[in-house]
Amino acid sequence: MRLKLQIALLISCTLVSLSGLYAAYLFNDASLGGRGGAIGVAMSFAYLFFSSLNTYKGIEKFDAAEEEIASALQLQMSIEQKLQNILDRFTLLKKDIENEARRQRSANIFLAISTVISTLFGGFGDLVAHQLIAK
């Protein structure tokens, strides 16, 4: 799901950036060439902000492990059982953290690409638009 959203962000930022050039050509005003890029950058930052609202909840897994330790002590489980349960929890937590790190790397790549494209259009779109209008 995240990958589809990241691809959609990249395509949207590129299209919005190009729309600034189209607006400049349509209205014969080169200064509009960078507007789409500015909107694309804003879209990228909005994605960054809203995707960080769903931060990793690994702390909850530590809480669950802590509760299991407490309940194991109350149930008088054998030390081997206690240690195995704790090890299992931490193994799952490690896998979750590794998966989240991979997803975050992917998000960072798409975010960087979409931001660079939009920033270039925002900064230089008027120059490209000027060339388009001149033709």
Side-chain angles (χ1 to χ4, degrees):
M1 176 67 176
R2 284 186 184 186
L3 181 60
K4 289 181 182 179
L5 183 60
Q6 293 162 1
I7 291 171
L9 173 72
L10 178 60
I11 292 169
S12 299
C13 287
T14 302
L15 291 175
V16 166
S17 296
L18 289 171
S19 72
L21 292 179
Y22 180 71
Y25 179 76
L26 188 65
F27 295 108
N28 201 25
D29 183 2
S31 68
L32 297 176
R35 300 292 195 273
I39 294 169
V41 171
M43 288 170 52
S44 296
F45 282 118
Y47 172 80
L48 176 66
F49 174 74
F50 288 114
S51 67
S52 68
L53 294 178
N54 297 323
T55 56
Y56 178 68
K57 304 204 187 239
I59 299 301
E60 293 173 1
K61 298 203 186 272
F62 277 109
D63 292 341
E66 184 179 45
E67 290 172 15
E68 186 165 339
I69 292 168
S71 69
L73 291 173
Q74 291 174 354
L75 296 173
Q76 299 298 317
M77 295 174 76
S78 71
I79 291 179
E80 293 84 13
Q81 288 173 320
K82 292 176 195 176
L83 290 175
Q84 187 59 49
N85 288 344
I86 294 168
L87 180 61
D88 291 344
R89 292 263 185 197
F90 282 107
T91 301
L92 288 174
L93 178 61
K94 180 182 175 190
K95 287 180 183 178
D96 285 349
I97 291 171
E98 289 169 348
N99 288 336
E100 183 63 25
R102 274 193 295 279
R103 285 191 294 268
Q104 189 60 49
R105 272 192 298 275
S106 172
N108 290 347
I109 290 168
F110 279 95
L111 186 62
I113 293 170
S114 63
T115 304
V116 166
I117 289 170
S118 298
T119 301
L120 289 173
F121 274 93
F124 301 103
D126 59 332
L127 300 176
V128 175
H130 183 63
Q131 293 300 315
L132 284 174
I133 293 169
K135 290 183 179 183

